[in-house]
Amino acid sequence: MRASKECPFCPGNEEMTPKAVAVYRDDGVFVDGETRIRGWWARCIPNMYPAMVPDPDAPTPEWMAMPARGGHEVIIESPDHESSPAIFDDEKIIRMIRVYADRYRYHTDRGSSYVSIFKNWGREAGASLSHTHTQLIALPMIPPLLMREVSAISSMPSCPYCNIAEREASSERLIFREGVWICIAPFYSQTPYEMWILPCKHISSILEMSDSMRLELGRSMKKALQRLSVLLNDPPYNYMIFQMSSNYHLNIRIQPAISKIAGFEKNTGIYINPVSPEQAASELRSVL
Ligand SMILES: [Zn+2]
Ligand SMILES: [Zn+2]
């Protein structure tokens, strides 16, 4: 296993981080005490610069605002300094999905309205450290993006994601299938080479998955990231898990951070994407 002396996420440097709220080892899940726990395969720590905290100060009375009540964690998915989900084996990838589910459950059980799980890979995509990690931000409200989506879904006769999964499973935008999951270049891709991974089975969150579904999801994420890495030479990217406790259709969106969000996008919320999803899917299919 490769390690770096300066990296706070590497084994041996656990004292450089706040105490872990969950340490995953072969013999169970633990919480750091005065002495940091070693021998882990995944570790979840409070973010050093949290966007949300359990006991926030009252917001200013000057404007309408909500207190930033919630949680902000970093999940270190592997002790290996040089590894990443694109090269994880089956055991490592299913462990990663299990940790996501475990922390998702922890925060939803404690009343968070929305739990955002996302990964920033590469400096241009927002990662400040190169050691592989995922972030989790637990919110006291459903964010506007999801509110808008949920309200649109509730006005439709059936689930639009089920419709997308059924139609795209045999379209030219399909990149690959893995069990009940499909990986597609969505018709309305926001960025070049955007990929969506979604199940052809209606589930709202990561908690509704069997172990075999989790493994297939992990394999899908690995395959998608591997293809992206080969095609675009390990580009910076973000992936986000879109999920809700109920009445939703879970999906994962992978967006390479290779195009700039500039004036037009900021002025209009409309994205210009120079690569068609059909072209992106064809290139992503052909690399492996
Ligand atoms: Zn490291
Ligand atoms: Zn559905």
Side-chain angles (χ1 to χ4, degrees), residues 158-163 165 199-203 248-250:
S158 60
C159 169
Y161 284 104
C162 283
N163 183 28
C200 297
K201 184 180 166 195
H202 186 86
I203 55 163
Y248 192 66
H249 192 124
L250 173 140

Side-chain angles (χ1 to χ4, degrees), residues 38-50:
R38 314 275 186 191
W40 47 273
W41 47 257
R43 191 165 182 259
C44 180
I45 55 175
N47 194 299
M48 296 265 264
Y49 310 100

Side-chain angles (χ1 to χ4, degrees), residues 51-69:
M52 296 281 152
V53 291
D55 298 301
D57 294 335
T60 169
E62 199 178 352
W63 296 95
M64 233 164 61
M66 283 177 78
R69 190 181 312 284

Side-chain angles (χ1 to χ4, degrees), residues 114-162:
Y114 188 77
V115 180
S116 169
I117 297 177
F118 59 96
K119 183 179 187 69
N120 301 333
W121 176 257
R123 219 160 257 285
E124 297 86 344
S128 49
L129 289 165
S130 65
H131 191 128
T132 186
H133 63 283
T134 301
Q135 295 193 56
L136 177 154
I137 299 186
L139 294 173
M141 32 80 94
I142 298 172
L145 181 67
L146 271 293
M147 280 293 269
R148 204 167 67 163
E149 214 188 338
V150 167
S151 129
I153 290 171
S154 68
S155 70
M156 303 195 68
S158 60
C159 169
Y161 284 104
C162 283

Side-chain angles (χ1 to χ4, degrees), residues 8 47 53 61 102 160 181 192 212 214 228 269:
N47 194 299
V53 291
D102 189 42
W181 299 84
S212 67
R214 284 182 181 171
L228 197 63

Side-chain angles (χ1 to χ4, degrees), residues 4 7 9-10 81 131:
S4 152
C7 172
F9 294 170
C10 271
H81 188 73
H131 191 128

